[in-house]
Amino acid sequence: WIELVGATGAFETRHYDVYFGEYGSGIPPVVTPARVSVQEDVLRAGLATIEITNGLGTYYYDPLGGGFASVVDNSGNDWVSWSTAPGAGGEYRGIPNLVYPDNLFHPGSGTTYTTVLSAGPLVATFLTEANNGDWTVLWTVTPTSTRMTVLEAARDYWVQYEGTPGGDLDGATDSIVRSTG
């Protein structure tokens, strides 16, 4: 990954020089400040998670469940809030909740294993495979985005977000609109 900084206006062209060479060959090294960082085995809601931090916040990924248990934005709001509490208040929460009813790719399920492929400074990637061998996803985290690519799928699937929009749900002031209006 190469990060190009600055803005290019509409109908403008910028040129960059990219040098490749062996360390010590006279090309000065470029020190890139970490914009994405990864730390493994960070305890969150009772899970040993992979903590990924980027410019948007901090993500806590359950490597044995294959899903995000927490997504904490820069204001401190947790958009998922997975926990062991029963039902919608905890155990149902997570992202992506990909394979139902097999309970794959969901925090707390213990149905996957994850390998961190790269850990910054501009991108983090990790591969999660289902224990049954039928499903594989690749996660890519950049300073401004998180992308999941399904590499292997045994059948049709969905991506479902179950969490707390904005990190807080106020029953007195918040509302929901369903497809029926």
Side-chain angles (χ1 to χ4, degrees):
W1 289 78
I2 299 172
E3 181 178 37
L4 305 177
V5 296
T8 303
F11 308 108
E12 289 183 7
T13 302
R14 290 196 299 172
H15 298 276
Y16 291 88
D17 294 321
V18 179
Y19 298 94
F20 296 94
E22 292 184 33
Y23 180 74
S25 64
I27 299 173
V30 176
V31 177
T32 303
R35 304 261 323 272
V36 176
S37 65
V38 174
Q39 185 174 349
E40 296 185 65
D41 295 320
V42 174
L43 196 61
R44 181 74 175 194
L47 301 171
T49 66
I50 300 171
E51 179 187 81
I52 306 109
T53 303
N54 69 1
L56 302 176
T58 304
Y59 305 74
Y60 296 90
Y61 187 80
D62 176 11
L64 300 178
F68 287 97
S70 287
V71 175
V72 181
D73 66 23
N74 289 327
S75 296
N77 299 312
D78 187 345
W79 286 65
V80 178
S81 303
W82 180 90
S83 74
T84 56
E91 68 179 339
Y92 290 171
R93 296 179 179 201
I95 300 172
N97 295 339
L98 194 66
V99 186
Y100 178 81
D102 302 45
N103 204 24
L104 298 174
F105 301 96
H106 188 279
S109 67
T111 56
T112 66
Y113 59 95
T114 300
T115 305
V116 175
L117 303 175
S118 69
L122 295 178
V123 66
T125 57
F126 47 103
L127 189 74
T128 301
E129 300 176 72
N131 292 339
N132 66 12
D134 290 342
W135 298 84
T136 304
V137 300
L138 174 69
W139 289 94
T140 304
V141 181
T142 71
T144 58
S145 68
T146 301
R147 178 178 59 216
M148 179 188 72
T149 305
V150 178
L151 301 175
E152 293 182 54
R155 63 179 187 278
D156 291 343
Y157 59 91
W158 64 50
V159 175
Q160 181 176 344
Y161 161 65
E162 290 180 286
T164 310
D168 185 32
L169 182 62
D170 184 342
T173 60
D174 291 338
S175 61
I176 184 170
V177 178
R178 299 187 177 171
S179 60
T180 60

